Amino acid sequence: MPSIVQVALDTPLHRLFDYRLPERLGGVQAGSLVEVPFGRTLQVGIALGQQTDSTVVADRLRDVIRVLDDRPALSPDILRLARFCADYYHYPLGAILLATLPPRLRNAAPFVADAPWLVVTEAGRSAVLPARAKAQRALLDALRVAPQASDALRERKQGRHAAALTAGGWAEWSRVPPHTDGAPPTSDAPAATSEQQAALDRLLPVLGQFGVHLIHGVTGSGKTELYLRLIDAVLAANRQALVLIPEIALTPQLEQHFRRRFPGRRFATLHSGLAESARTENWLAAPDCDVLLGTRLSVFAPLSRLGLIVVDEEHDASFKQQDGLRYSARDVAIARGKQSGVPVVLGSATPSLESYAQALNGRYQLTELKQRAVSRAQLPEIALVDLKHIPADNGLTRPALAALTETLARGEQSLVFLNRRGYAPALYCPSCAWVSPCPRCSARLVLHRTSQRLKCHHCGFETRIPAECPGCGNPDLKALGQGTQRLEETLAACLPAARIRRIDRDTMRPRAWAELGEAVHGGEVDILVGTQMLAKGHDFPNMTLALILDTDGALYSPDFRATERLFAQLMQVAGRAGRADKPGRVLIQTAFPDHPLFRYLQRHDYAGYARELLAERRQLELPPFTRQVLLRAEAATMDAALAFLHRAAALAPASAEVSVFGATPAPMARVADLERAQLLIQSAQRQALQAFVRDWRPQLDTIKPRIARWSLDVDPLVF
Ligand code: ADP
Ligand code: ZN
Ligand code: ZN
């Protein structure tokens, strides 16, 4: 009787494919990577179930070519997590499974991976070997001091002793060497503050089981320190910790900080900034590591002894992937924690309203840290500059300039926050009102003066700055509005003595963060100018002024999450000011000083604003009180995109609990020459919405004529 394997392949089809397993291949374990013929090509897929018959007629059934046993099979918990995602996000299982692998392993070319380090295990640390096993004892002693490289062991002919130690469970082969050049584990661990201690007293006893814990702690309250102590406890129980951090990341800094705290432990990192080879190595190393630190993709990393998941800055939008499988790593982390019986700790100074609502209704455990950990560090005073009464020159008001001058005179540092990179948001012709449109998008081309180009921040289109207006030939074109480059120029003109540095996506290269951190710490910078990149992570003790320019666009935006995001951003930026023993000050220029957001911000009252926003959301039946799914369509013409959505709406299953809204052009109606439209589906009940989409999605495949692209976005963040 033939053995049939079901294989998941990276295709848009929501199904598995049957293949015959030739006898010469023996058995195949679920999760193994296999090479199979598909159409006229060969593809790498994941073997799932095995059975004795198939609905495919025997002579059309093709053979598995080989099992790729040069790389590990996906573990049962990853298969289970991928199934959850396929179900919840209505996305093909095969595409998800292959996307969890680093690109190199999706390729069938032979792969040589080895585990080059012999390291001591938890059991080996305290084991007492019999006296006659002299060579083994000596090797174990050596391992307690440092890991040993396999080639060195081979050279010294100690392979046999190594094997004896691994057989006894006292040592193991590892792809990651532990970090060994640090200080002893507790040397730089400060005594816990009373709030941290109270949090630990609650959290430590429940570490062995699933639960979602939201740590709401003001910036500088010592959330990171709290994670470190929880991780410490998890490592002591010989389990692993997965720490998810935002994409923008300060991975190197955090990694350093973690490594220093846990010398002798094995670390791995995973993020998109890694070279492909490093990403592959680290992914392979993940099952052996003690702590895995990474961005959203690491939520799918293979971890065999998972004991804790931490999601730092859980509100951060970068946890949501915006194409392909549009997953939220935070939500997938919670699903993983639940499946594996492992606690999930979410931390933020400004939790997402989704998480905060769950904490208020008791589904998540709320832990609050209200004080800054360093007792002298006070929360900064926040003042507003009313742009309706005080004019701005080149984007800067007189009080703002005065504050910068005073700070400079005191020898302290300032940061100036403007969330728009480039020189100016557009180039403008005063005679015919031409405003540098992108030829491919419904957006303006941004003026970048340093590179002398106009660039589209949506599709990547760029062109030289025209010498004259393409509309009327006028040679006198003007920069319209302010970007960070122009701001830097203005500041340099107003404060010639100040040393100014700009940070935004245009200036940031790998390593640039570390270098910038050193420059600021070393007092080589007086004023930091930048976009939201400024808001994260860095702790600059001498930074006492934060100046915030032009955020008014978000106050009255049609995006219902705009104020939530702005509040979080402003809290973060404000958190940068006055972190050590010097009082900080925040100055915000706005034409709407009466907006409630500022009232709460001035009181540092996240909880108050969150409750107000939640009341509003409840009344308007918006998330988190309802669940949404967005059907996105992209086509050559808006008519075609809308026609697709009208057809989709007509095919919607009848459901009393689900509302289907009208098809509309997307807020950014055209990107890269494609017209975009969307259809919103909403329900107060997640189950009903899920059932609805499950019935609906197969219908969408049948719609004719086909359009360029469509996709379902479950729990959309951006519209
Ligand atoms: P958060 O992540 O909440 O912004 P951090 O964990 O970065 O806060 O801590 C802010 C600052 O307070 C850091 O400089 C940190 O070293 C310090 N800190 C944290 N916990 C303590 C503590 N228990 N005692 C003294 N300093 C602490
Ligand atoms: Zn013109
Ligand atoms: Zn464009």
Side-chain angles (χ1 to χ4, degrees), residues 529-540:
V529 177
T531 58
Q532 66 193 14
M533 287 190 115
L534 268 182
K536 313 254 163 123
H538 268 298
D539 198 358
F540 298 132

Side-chain angles (χ1 to χ4, degrees), residues 212-426:
V212 185
H213 305 274
L214 177 64
I215 317 270
H216 170 218
V218 299
T219 21
S221 59
K223 292 183 290 296
T224 312
E225 181 57 35
L226 188 56
Y227 307 149
L228 288 167
R229 284 167 181 262
L230 295 172
I231 292 168
D232 206 16
V234 167
L235 299 186
N238 198 25
R239 307 282 296 270
Q240 294 167 305
L242 168 62
V243 182
L244 300 177
I245 54 176
E247 187 63 71
I248 196 158
L250 307 154
T251 326
Q253 277 87 331
L254 262 178
E255 190 185 345
Q256 276 251 333
H257 190 53
F258 275 56
R259 279 188 192 275
R260 242 181 268 130
R261 273 297 282 282
F262 303 118
R265 294 296 185 175
R266 287 171 284 174
F267 275 82
T269 55
L270 277 180
H271 53 88
S272 51
L274 289 175
E276 198 178 299
S277 60
R279 205 179 135 193
T280 309
E281 297 269 311
N282 293 3
W283 186 88
L284 288 167
D288 290 345
C289 76
D290 297 309
V291 180
L292 176 66
L293 188 68
T295 53
R296 64 171 180 262
L297 55 96
S298 20
V299 75
F300 294 106
L303 296 162
S304 46
R305 297 173 284 118
L306 186 61
L308 171 70
I309 307 179
V310 174
V311 185
D312 189 24
E313 309 287 358
E314 66 88 29
H315 65 281
D316 196 277
S318 74
F319 286 123
K320 169 95 176 170
Q321 175 143 309
Q322 298 295 0
D323 53 18
L325 174 66
R326 293 167 178 265
Y327 69 102
S328 151
R330 176 192 65 215
D331 297 346
V332 175
I334 293 171
R336 186 166 186 178
K338 192 166 183 184
Q339 289 182 340
S340 308
V342 155
V344 181
V345 170
L346 310 178
S348 174
T350 51
S352 63
L353 291 181
E354 277 75 9
S355 298
Y356 198 63
Q358 297 283 36
L360 293 181
N361 71 27
R363 255 181 292 228
Y364 296 174
Q365 308 306 310
L366 181 62
T367 295
E368 294 186 301
L369 303 177
K370 297 183 173 170
Q371 310 287 325
R372 285 190 158 183
V374 179
S375 56
R376 283 166 306 171
Q378 298 300 311
L379 289 170
E381 176 202 319
I382 299 176
L384 305 176
V385 180
D386 184 350
L387 289 174
K388 281 212 281 279
H389 298 109
I390 302 174
D393 184 12
N394 273 319
L396 279 176
T397 58
R398 220 174 241 257
L401 210 51
L404 286 169
T405 311
E406 284 159 26
T407 310
L408 185 64
R410 278 199 306 271
E412 294 169 5
Q413 296 166 315
S414 309
L415 72 81
V416 185
F417 173 74
L418 175 64
N419 213 358
R420 224 177 294 116
R421 68 193 167 92
Y423 185 82

Side-chain angles (χ1 to χ4, degrees), residues 98-111:
L98 282 138
T100 70
L101 294 166
R104 175 62 187 84
L105 300 183
R106 287 174 225 163
N107 179 325
F111 183 81

Side-chain angles (χ1 to χ4, degrees), residues 438 440-441 456 458-461 672:
C438 172
R440 309 175 58 202
C441 305
C456 175
H458 300 277
C459 72
F461 174 88

Side-chain angles (χ1 to χ4, degrees), residues 530-699:
T531 58
Q532 66 193 14
M533 287 190 115
L534 268 182
K536 313 254 163 123
H538 268 298
D539 198 358
F540 298 132
N542 199 33
M543 186 83 60
T544 56
L545 173 69
L547 187 60
I548 295 165
L549 308 181
D550 200 7
T551 52
D552 287 351
L555 292 175
Y556 296 97
S557 159
D559 178 349
F560 71 87
R561 284 195 178 87
T563 45
E564 176 188 353
R565 266 197 295 266
L566 177 62
F567 190 75
Q569 234 170 40
L570 295 185
M571 289 282 274
Q572 297 251 352
V573 178
R576 297 299 108 201
R579 285 187 56 132
D581 49 358
K582 293 181 182 148
R585 206 176 147 202
V586 179
L587 215 56
I588 303 174
Q589 296 189 165
T590 176
F592 305 98
D594 299 327
H595 194 286
L597 181 145
F598 293 122
R599 203 166 61 239
Y600 290 104
L601 187 71
Q602 285 181 301
R603 290 194 232 122
H604 300 277
D605 185 7
Y606 164 84
Y609 195 46
R611 281 171 197 273
E612 177 162 330
L613 288 177
L614 282 171
E616 214 174 277
R617 299 266 185 100
R618 184 192 291 279
Q619 201 190 1
L620 297 173
E621 300 183 357
L622 286 169
F625 301 100
T626 51
R627 297 285 182 149
Q628 300 182 325
V629 172
L630 199 66
L631 174 59
R632 301 171 183 274
E634 295 177 36
T637 66
M638 183 54 78
D639 282 349
L642 288 170
F644 173 88
L645 295 177
H646 290 141
R647 188 79 200 110
L651 291 169
S655 169
E657 286 98 27
V658 175
S659 323
V660 179
F661 291 83
T664 56
M668 268 286 291
R670 196 159 62 104
V671 175
D673 279 332
L674 283 176
E675 301 284 341
R676 314 190 312 163
Q678 58 196 30
L679 180 69
L680 182 66
I681 323 293
Q682 183 173 299
S683 173
Q685 290 164 37
R686 185 167 82 183
Q687 295 305 334
L689 187 61
Q690 281 291 329
F692 173 96
V693 180
R694 221 173 353 263
D695 289 348
W696 190 39
R697 196 208 48 77
Q699 307 279 326

Side-chain angles (χ1 to χ4, degrees), residues 436-481:
S436 61
C438 172
R440 309 175 58 202
C441 305
S442 37
R444 306 276 171 223
L445 295 174
V446 175
L447 175 59
H448 285 249
R449 188 158 276 180
T450 35
S451 56
Q452 286 294 313
R453 297 184 81 77
L454 294 176
K455 297 184 187 174
C456 175
H457 288 185
H458 300 277
C459 72
F461 174 88
E462 46 177 284
T463 179
R464 264 180 311 144
I465 298 176
E468 52 190 41
C469 171
C472 71
N474 171 18
D476 190 22
L477 297 173
K478 301 262 188 268
L480 184 67

